[in-house]
């Protein structure tokens, strides 16, 4: 098969388009013919090997799985002997284990990570959803009309979905990102925007019911001040040191101040994905596509991701046939 190959960590220039042996599905796996794969912040991290947690699971010196790519949509090309839930020709979508393996014509994976592609969505649209949709659904669970929600890193892959779902729930949303994304953030529904280079949202006191932090760089001792009593701070990604501090000390800091502070880990499973599919059916959100590249142009797509110029999802497509 043809695939995008990454032998070392670095910039978009480290990837190449090349030939790899076709994967052979184990008895409990399916072989998916990839039709589209979308890019997330995790692809940027796994390309660079930064923050440090990108190497904890992927390999310390170089990626163990040389094929990047996490969020896929495609067609079942073969099933292992013990797979009962899917058959040849089924159209599926999902997030691959370890966020790797998707930028290839074929990928072998466990069927429990995949769900049926929602009706009415193209492969490109479906591939745009799994990770970002899962983050948004979990992060905004329990949001009520009128809640004040702040999304830090709102203009990225996950943030756009978080803003969309929070607005769908009736929240008043403050979106924090680069200043030149303000128009885009307003367009997707943000009520207020903050340019992180000019203002520090963590200086605010008692304003938010929920803070969703996709690019955390502040300690749990600082972020809780911006929450109302009973409010919740959920860290999704950011600096490795902050991740460790928030995971270990956040719950204690939260308890002392009558708030909830911690790291939100979104499980990868079919059940999660089916909950996201249900939200799509209800019209709670639709994916925003920034650009579509042919899979062999992954270098250009990853360079766009690294530059931070996208307004919505970047998707790589494998034409049919
Ligand atoms: N906890 C979990 O279960 C889980 C699951 C999957 C992924 N994640 C993590 O979630 C994180 C976010 O993912 P994503 O796909 O949304 O990332 P992303 O697409 O890279 O989005 C991050 C956004 O934040 C902006 N930004 C950069 N520095 C900022 C700052 N100091 N303050 C505010 N905004 C800033 C970025 O702008 P530029 O693009 O211009 O830099 C970008 O718009 C990643 O770390 C990923 O690993 C967590």
């Amino acid at each position: 098969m043809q695939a995008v190959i990454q032998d070392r960590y670095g910039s978009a220039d480290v990837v190449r388009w090349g030939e790899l042996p076709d994967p052979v599905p184990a008895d409990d796996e399916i072989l998916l013919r990839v039709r589209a794969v979308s890019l997330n912040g995790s692809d940027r991290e796994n390309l660079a090997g930064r923050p440090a947690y990108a190497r904890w699971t992927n390999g310390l010196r170089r990626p163990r799985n040389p094929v990047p790519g996490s969020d896929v949509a495609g067609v079942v090309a073969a099933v292992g002997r013990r797979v009962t839930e899917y058959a040849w020709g089924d159209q599926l979508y999902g997030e691959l284990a370890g966020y790797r393996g998707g930028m290839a014509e074929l990928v072998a994976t466990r069927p429990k990570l995949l769900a049926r592609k929602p009706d009415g969505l193209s492969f490109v649209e479906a591939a745009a959803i799994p990770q970002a949709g899962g983050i948004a659904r979990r992060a905004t669970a329990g949001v009520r009309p009128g809640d004040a929600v702040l999304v830090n890193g709102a203009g990225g892959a996950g943030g756009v979905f978080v803003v969309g779902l929070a607005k769908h729930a009736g929240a008043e949303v403050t979106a924090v990102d680069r200043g030149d994304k303000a128009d885009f953030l307003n367009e997707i529904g943000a009520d207020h925007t903050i340019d992180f280079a000019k203002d520090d949202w963590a200086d605010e006191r008692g304003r938010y019911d929920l803070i969703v932090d996709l690019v955390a760089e502040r300690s749990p001792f600082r972020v809780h001040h911006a929450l109302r009593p009973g409010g919740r701070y959920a860290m999704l990604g950011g600096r490795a040191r902050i991740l460790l501090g928030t995971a270990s000390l956040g719950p204690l800091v939260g308890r002392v101040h009558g708030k909830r502070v911690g790291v939100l880990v979104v499980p990868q499973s079919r059940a999660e994905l089916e909950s996201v599919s249900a939200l799509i059916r209800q019209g709670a959100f639709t994916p925003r596509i920034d650009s579509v590249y042919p899979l062999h142009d992954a270098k250009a797509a990853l360079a766009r991701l690294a530059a931070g110029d996208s307004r919505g999802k970047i998707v790589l497509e494998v034409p049919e046939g």
Side-chain angles (χ1 to χ4, degrees):
M1 67 172 182
Q2 298 283 104
V4 178
I5 301 170
Q6 178 197 356
D7 299 309
R8 58 197 164 91
Y9 295 113
S11 70
D13 285 335
V14 303
V15 301
R16 61 191 166 87
W17 181 239
E19 188 77 26
L20 286 176
D22 284 3
V24 178
D27 286 353
D28 60 351
E29 289 184 329
I30 61 162
L31 187 67
L32 192 75
R33 184 162 292 284
V34 177
R35 293 293 310 282
V37 49
S38 83
L39 304 188
N40 293 288
S42 55
D43 294 300
R44 177 156 57 178
E45 293 168 346
N46 289 335
L47 183 69
R50 279 197 319 267
Y53 57 69
R55 297 181 188 228
W56 297 342
T57 45
N58 278 311
L60 285 180
R61 294 171 62 82
R62 63 182 65 83
R64 267 190 296 275
N65 179 347
V67 180
S70 132
D71 283 17
V72 293
V75 182
V76 176
V79 293
R81 277 188 311 132
R82 294 211 306 274
V83 174
T84 53
E85 56 270 72
Y86 297 128
W88 183 91
D90 284 348
Q91 300 188 351
L92 307 178
Y93 81 132
E95 185 185 20
L96 299 171
Y99 310 134
R100 306 285 298 181
M103 289 188 203
E105 290 173 325
L106 294 165
V107 62
T109 181
R110 283 170 291 152
K112 69 177 186 186
L113 296 178
L114 304 174
R116 290 184 192 279
K117 180 170 77 66
D119 290 341
L121 291 191
S122 66
F123 287 105
V124 164
E125 290 167 326
I129 291 168
Q131 183 183 117
I135 285 176
R137 190 187 80 83
R138 283 272 172 165
T140 60
V143 171
R144 289 169 306 187
D147 278 1
V149 175
L150 180 134
V151 186
N152 192 37
V160 171
F161 284 71
V162 178
V163 171
L165 271 192
K167 285 307 297 174
H168 182 74
E172 181 181 342
V173 175
T174 301
V176 188
D177 210 297
R178 269 183 5 197
D180 62 6
K181 292 186 190 170
D183 288 347
F184 171 67
L185 295 170
N186 287 324
E187 197 188 307
I188 63 171
D191 301 285
H192 317 282
T193 59
I194 294 177
D195 174 352
F196 70 78
K198 289 196 180 138
D199 294 302
D200 187 348
W201 55 266
D203 287 340
E204 298 186 275
R205 291 289 176 268
R207 173 157 175 202
Y208 300 105
D209 298 288
L210 171 67
I211 296 171
V212 180
D213 200 346
L214 295 134
V215 280
E217 55 183 10
R218 297 167 180 85
S219 93
F221 296 102
R222 181 131 194 270
V223 292
H224 78 85
H225 292 295
L227 290 171
R228 286 179 180 155
R232 176 166 68 103
Y233 169 87
M235 172 182 176
L236 271 302
R239 294 192 184 159
R241 183 174 53 82
I242 298 296
L243 177 80
L244 293 173
T246 305
S248 55
L249 298 171
L252 184 65
V253 173
R255 210 170 308 133
V256 168
H257 296 279
K259 301 165 183 172
R260 283 181 291 160
V261 176
V263 175
L264 173 61
V265 178
V266 182
Q268 290 184 319
S269 75
R270 186 184 310 135
E272 287 288 320
L273 208 47
E274 283 174 348
S275 302
V276 173
S277 300
L279 288 169
I280 295 165
R281 278 197 299 278
Q282 291 161 25
F285 64 83
T286 44
R288 304 246 343 176
I289 308 298
D290 169 81
S291 46
V292 181
Y293 292 76
L295 183 60
H296 62 78
D297 251 354
K299 198 184 285 261
L302 287 164
R304 182 165 177 79
L305 181 75
D309 290 336
S310 58
R311 303 289 184 268
K313 272 306 193 84
I314 301 170
V315 186
L316 297 159
E317 189 178 26
V318 188
E320 196 171 5

